[in-house]
Amino acid sequence: MSQEPLLRVEELTTHFFTEEGVVRAVDGISFTVNEGEIVGLVGESGAGKSVAASSLLRLVEGPGEIVDGEVTFRGETLFGVEERSDGELVQRDEMLSNAEMRERIRGREIAIIFQDPMESLNPVFTVGGQLREFIEINRDLGADAAKREAIDMLREVGIPEPENRYDDYPHQFSGGMRQRVLIAMALSCEPSLIIADEPTTALDVTVEGQILDLVDDLQDKYDTSFIWVTHDMGVIAEICDRVNVMYLGEIVEQADVEQLFYDTKHPYTCLLYTSLSGLPRAIRDVYKRQHRGHHARSDQSALRLSVPHSVSGRARGVRSGASGRARRLRAG
Ligand SMILES: Nc1ncnc2c1ncn2[C@@H]1O[C@H](COP(=O)(O)OP(=O)(O)OP(=O)(O)O)[C@@H](O)[C@H]1O
Ligand SMILES: [Mg+2]
């Protein structure tokens, strides 16, 4: 019998109920994360990656709403619905309460590194103070012990002279250092899973490379699983074990990372290879050999001919309100 994955996502669906209609930001995605795995979620801007990431921890805010699907973590239901006899969808009884999500799951079992560091770092408080407070709250440690732990974590993620940098404010840290602090914060409760939403996108490639190496090392040491959100196939190639390619709210391709690069199935994935310059040379060369046919005309417009619509030009799936709203979830 196959082992239950750490995280199982089935048909997860998150819609935004706007004045103009229903935006189907995440439209029935299914994937799993096993213990110790780094699973990629890749797609261009607007594909639904961040909404999917927030949905896993039930952090979607209005007008967004998770309307369907199931998320289980170690077999516990983080989100789940069932259909009542009248056809109405209601939240399942065994779903964890908001308090359980807050106190047991978020930060402690599953940490999230947001795309915008300022969602996690407050510019008016010191870096060390924020990390200490996070550790104090989430690990029930006293202030002194939490401070020692915070300094250890800063050292662990490669901040030089952490005792001296402890009282610095976020603006005194470089972008790469701020990302290291967020990784320290995420790791500090030794969660089983970290959801990292494009944590290296704003960094230059050298610093990005250092952070990816760091994550690789930490992943080996702590055996933490990751969901790594990115639009960059190079990053996927570098650290992921398996990858899910997202396009307009759906997962269009799902594969082991080697399989994806050596045997690409979906034309949209091919389109993402327009970021080929970010790939390690060995993989790039193999990919180009394997896909010589696809790349007969290797400019972007040639690739676009092979996908149904111009990806960046197509509007999101905004539908008229009625059908979407009919499927809205009733809190049960
Ligand atoms: N508050 C909101 N109201 C309406 N639509 C929203 C809202 N937040 C997100 N969306 C829509 O959901 C879709 C998915 O957005 P999301 O932020 O998940 O994209 P993404 O893949 O993370 O993109 P990026 O790479 O730019 O971060 C987008 O079309 C976006 O416009
Ligand atoms: Mg995003």
Side-chain angles (χ1 to χ4, degrees):
M1 205 178 83
S2 67
Q3 225 186 340
E4 174 71 13
L6 181 66
L7 184 85
R8 178 193 293 283
V9 181
E10 301 271 0
E11 294 297 322
L12 183 65
T13 307
T14 304
H15 291 172
F16 287 87
F17 296 89
T18 70
E19 299 275 300
E20 291 79 37
V22 179
V23 180
R24 298 155 66 117
V26 173
D27 213 11
I29 61 169
S30 303
F31 66 97
T32 57
V33 181
N34 296 315
E35 300 265 2
E37 241 186 349
I38 304 186
V39 173
L41 199 55
V42 64
E44 63 152 4
S45 187
K49 307 180 298 294
S50 293
V51 174
S54 310
S55 300
L56 299 175
L57 282 173
R58 287 174 29 200
L59 289 170
V60 181
E61 289 176 355
E65 202 179 313
I66 309 173
V67 291
D68 205 355
E70 184 175 72
V71 181
T72 63
F73 177 74
R74 293 196 195 287
E76 284 196 290
T77 308
L78 304 189
F79 182 83
V81 298
E82 64 193 357
E83 198 165 348
R84 280 195 325 215
S85 51
D86 61 2
E88 200 69 61
L89 290 177
V90 293
Q91 292 182 349
R92 290 222 307 266
D93 284 345
E94 70 267 29
M95 195 172 113
L96 295 189
S97 67
N98 288 338
E100 284 173 308
M101 286 298 291
R102 206 170 42 240
E103 287 157 19
R104 283 212 294 115
I105 302 295
R106 288 187 206 126
R108 295 178 184 227
E109 286 288 356
I110 307 176
I112 185 162
I113 302 173
F114 287 107
Q115 188 164 9
D116 175 5
M118 286 311 163
E119 293 232 25
S120 311
L121 286 179
N122 189 326
V124 303
F125 295 108
T126 63
V127 167
Q130 292 183 63
L131 187 52
R132 190 209 69 222
E133 192 183 344
F134 184 84
I135 293 171
E136 244 182 282
I137 293 170
N138 285 295
R139 294 204 12 212
D140 304 319
L141 288 178
D144 289 346
K147 179 174 178 178
R148 280 195 299 278
E149 186 66 24
I151 289 172
D152 282 350
M153 287 310 301
L154 290 175
R155 183 176 297 111
E156 179 90 337
V157 296
I159 303 289
E161 301 180 27
E163 295 87 351
N164 299 334
R165 303 307 301 256
Y166 184 86
D167 290 320
D168 282 358
Y169 289 86
H171 74 268
Q172 292 170 287
F173 275 39
S174 67
M177 285 164 73
R178 279 198 288 268
Q179 285 302 350
R180 286 171 192 264
V181 173
L182 295 188
I183 291 168
M185 205 175 258
L187 278 170
S188 61
C189 300
E190 297 193 10
S192 311
L193 174 65
I194 295 179
I195 302 169
D197 190 356
E198 307 229 27
T200 59
T201 298
L203 305 175
D204 71 53
V205 285
T206 315
V207 181
E208 178 174 61
Q210 291 166 359
I211 301 263
L212 295 178
D213 287 346
L214 170 72
V215 167
D216 232 8
D217 291 348
L218 293 171
Q219 201 264 341
D220 274 351
K221 181 167 172 186
Y222 292 98
D223 205 28
T224 314
S225 302
F226 280 85
I227 295 175
W228 200 271
V229 176
T230 180
H231 62 271
D232 186 339
M233 281 295 198
V235 172
I236 293 286
E238 189 124 352
I239 59 165
C240 291
D241 300 304
R242 288 189 300 130
V243 58
N244 300 287
V245 180
M246 258 189 107
Y247 172 57
L248 294 175
E250 295 177 16
I251 289 177
V252 295
E253 184 156 6
Q254 212 156 35
D256 288 345
V257 78
E258 275 135 42
Q259 186 192 337
L260 186 83
F261 285 103
Y262 291 80
D263 183 21
T264 311
K265 299 276 189 253
H266 197 279
Y268 177 65
T269 312
C270 295
L271 186 64
L272 286 176
Y273 288 117
T274 51
S275 67
L276 268 179
S277 59
L279 285 174
R281 178 184 291 276
I283 292 181
R284 191 164 73 220
D285 291 347
V286 172
Y287 176 79
K288 281 185 173 161
R289 267 203 306 282
Q290 302 273 331
H291 295 265
R292 201 157 274 148
H294 277 297
H295 288 272
R297 295 190 294 153
S298 64
D299 62 339
Q300 189 159 336
S301 60
L303 283 169
R304 281 206 173 134
L305 292 176
S306 62
V307 299
H309 299 271
S310 163
V311 172
S312 54
R314 185 177 156 186
R316 296 277 327 155
V318 176
R319 305 276 168 102
S320 68
S323 61
R325 273 179 220 283
R327 294 276 296 165
R328 274 186 93 162
L329 186 63
R330 285 277 163 79

